[in-house]
Amino acid sequence: MRNVIRAMLAAIGIAAIYTFGTGAIAESPKVGDQGAAPEFVGINNWLNSEPLTLQQLRGKVVLVDFWTYACGNCVNTLPHVKQWYEKYKDQGLVVVGVHTPEFPFEKSTENVQAALKRYDIRYPVAQDNMYGTWSAYRNQYWPALYLIDANGRIVYQHYGEGRYKETEAALQKLLAERKAAQPG
């Protein structure tokens, strides 16, 4: 009986390590008006773009992606984020990657630029080495996605991998609302 209990506890422990280590459990997305999106603050460098502000981007749908190039879970989300950027950039979507380092070596602009080239990232990336924007969003996770509507309000957020269909559906909804609100 003791061996059965030990085996069960070991299996639970292994499952927990796998689940949290791989990001298999991702928090359900938060949907609905969550207030005005914080401005980009404390940005060290802007890559692939001149400096951006959310005020400049008003009227667009903005996807803010908190990531770092040495995070496996972040790298796994990049194909989806890049696909959305390519597919919807001409419909009013702006993707902003906020590269916030987890480790000291990720603070190097040269390393981030090499990652942008390696992963063929063409959308704007803000290098947030001092966690200014990370803190303004009260973010705690890599990766983390925030969708901001044309009025500058956070209306969807998701942490971790997965829920790509739900995220794209939310994105499409915001783009449709933006288009409907534009003068004919």
Side-chain angles (χ1 to χ4, degrees):
M1 181 69 169
R2 267 189 219 172
N3 288 339
V4 171
I5 292 172
R6 285 184 185 153
M8 287 175 43
L9 290 174
I12 291 169
I14 291 169
I17 290 168
Y18 170 80
T19 299
F20 291 107
T22 62
I25 287 186
E27 183 176 309
S28 295
K30 294 180 183 176
V31 179
D33 190 338
Q34 297 160 41
E39 194 54 77
F40 301 117
V41 293
I43 300 303
N44 301 78
N45 295 300
W46 282 90
L47 306 169
N48 294 342
S49 168
E50 294 296 318
L52 297 173
T53 67
L54 286 177
Q55 186 61 37
Q56 287 175 301
L57 299 175
R58 190 63 55 96
K60 304 272 189 182
V61 173
V62 180
L63 172 63
V64 176
D65 176 25
F66 284 94
W67 72 294
T68 186
Y69 70 83
C71 164
N73 300 105
C74 297
V75 171
N76 290 342
T77 65
L78 288 177
H80 301 278
V81 176
K82 289 174 19 181
Q83 178 188 22
W84 296 329
Y85 169 71
E86 290 299 328
K87 188 174 180 180
Y88 300 112
K89 67 182 177 183
D90 295 330
Q91 298 175 42
L93 175 67
V94 175
V95 174
V96 177
V98 178
H99 185 276
T100 310
E102 185 174 8
F103 302 107
F105 64 87
E106 294 172 304
K107 291 182 177 184
S108 162
T109 300
E110 292 78 24
N111 290 350
V112 177
Q113 288 172 322
L116 298 182
K117 186 174 181 180
R118 180 172 55 250
Y119 298 119
D120 193 30
I121 296 172
R122 298 178 187 177
Y123 50 81
V125 174
Q127 193 175 357
D128 188 26
N129 285 350
M130 302 305 290
Y131 286 63
T133 298
W134 173 282
S135 297
Y137 277 75
R138 297 184 175 156
N139 190 49
Q140 299 176 33
Y141 309 100
W142 292 278
L145 299 175
Y146 294 81
L147 269 176
I148 301 167
D149 71 9
N151 297 314
R153 304 192 62 80
I154 297 172
V155 294
Y156 177 95
Q157 61 192 75
H158 173 67
Y159 309 119
E161 293 184 55
R163 300 206 183 263
Y164 301 116
K165 288 181 183 176
E166 293 90 338
T167 302
E168 186 170 11
L171 208 159
Q172 290 171 338
K173 179 178 181 265
L174 290 176
L175 290 170
E177 289 172 0
R178 174 186 179 270
K179 185 176 181 180
Q182 290 178 335

